[in-house]
Each structure stands twice: as C-alpha cells, then as structure tokens.
Amino acid sequence: MLQSNYIHEVCRLANPKWNIRVETSLNVPWENIEALIGDIDEWIIDIKDMNEDIYKMYTGKPITRMKKNLLKLKEFVPIKKLHIRIPRIEGYNSEEDIQYSANWILENIGVKAEIFSYLVLPHTANKR
C-alpha cells in the first residue's frame, strides 16, 4: 500500500475482466488506501491482533492508524469485499487474545475473521 501510485497504474493497465486483490496490514497513510478504493475488488487484511500491546510488540508500530483505516475502509467498501485475517503467532497472542480480536472485528466491522496459524519451522542444523 505504500506504493499506491504504482498499484493504481498497474490496475489501470490491467485487463478490466481481472479481479484485483490486495493483501495489506492497512498501516499506511489513509491517502494511500483511498487512492485505491476504486481499483481493488477484494481486500485481504492481516490485522495481527486488536490488542494494542500485542500489535505493537509484533509490528513495532502503534495500532492507531490501522484501526482508524479499518473503520474508515468499511464505510467505502462493501463488507463482502473485506476479508480480515487474524494469525496465531507463537509467543505473541493467546487463544483469548485471538477471540477478543475476532469479536472486535465482528462487532465493529461486521466481518467474521479468518483465524490461521503461522507455521514456525524448527531450526535445523546444517548436516554434512
């Protein structure tokens, strides 16, 4: 989303029959999102967590901009075009945190969030 001008140009040049999807965290200036509202057919939003402390611990950024953008986006984009994902992130969020986030999304956005697990691969030694 930080390259919204480029994304807009690609969408403008794309075959109009194509469905354009974007996957984003929405943690960008609103102007970047607003510029693409007419271009994007489906929004896949990875929110990480709705708990401010967990969000900041994982992303290094405050949750404020993402939350404001999410609430604003629902005013411009039909709910059926919004897909919100909440990851289980080992060492960051618990099942209670995930349920809190899913409930917040349902109550405030009107979307049932998709919950999924990040795959954590064990460190393997180099065998020679």
Side-chain angles (χ1 to χ4, degrees):
M1 298 303 290
L2 290 173
Q3 303 299 323
S4 60
N5 290 337
Y6 174 77
I7 295 169
H8 175 71
E9 283 303 308
V10 169
C11 291
R12 190 179 66 74
L13 295 170
N15 185 325
K17 294 179 183 178
W18 293 358
N19 287 322
I20 307 293
R21 291 185 183 124
V22 66
E23 187 166 348
T24 178
S25 68
L26 291 182
N27 204 334
V28 297
W30 171 251
E31 295 75 28
N32 293 48
I33 297 166
E34 186 176 37
L36 296 174
I37 288 174
D39 297 327
I40 305 300
D41 297 302
E42 186 175 14
W43 298 76
I44 302 168
I45 303 160
D46 182 350
I47 64 159
K48 306 297 187 263
D49 204 278
M50 292 310 294
N51 176 301
E52 186 169 348
D53 295 331
I54 294 170
Y55 186 91
K56 186 167 186 170
M57 182 174 47
Y58 190 76
T59 66
K61 301 194 182 297
I63 197 171
T64 310
R65 181 168 28 189
M66 182 279 291
K67 193 183 269 189
K68 284 181 181 177
N69 287 342
L70 184 57
L71 290 167
K72 198 182 271 192
L73 187 62
K74 81 167 191 164
E75 301 300 321
F76 292 93
V77 175
I79 296 298
K80 67 182 181 178
K81 292 185 174 192
L82 299 177
H83 303 280
I84 302 175
R85 304 180 79 214
I86 303 169
R88 283 186 181 90
I89 309 168
E90 186 176 324
Y92 286 92
N93 59 3
S94 68
E95 288 303 314
E96 289 174 352
D97 298 319
I98 293 164
Q99 194 56 53
Y100 168 80
S101 296
N103 289 340
W104 192 98
I105 294 299
L106 188 57
E107 291 170 11
N108 292 279
I109 308 301
V111 171
K112 183 177 180 188
E114 174 191 345
I115 299 168
F116 68 101
S117 297
Y118 278 164
L119 178 62
V120 178
L121 298 175
H123 179 69
T124 55
N126 187 4
K127 298 178 183 177
R128 290 184 183 204

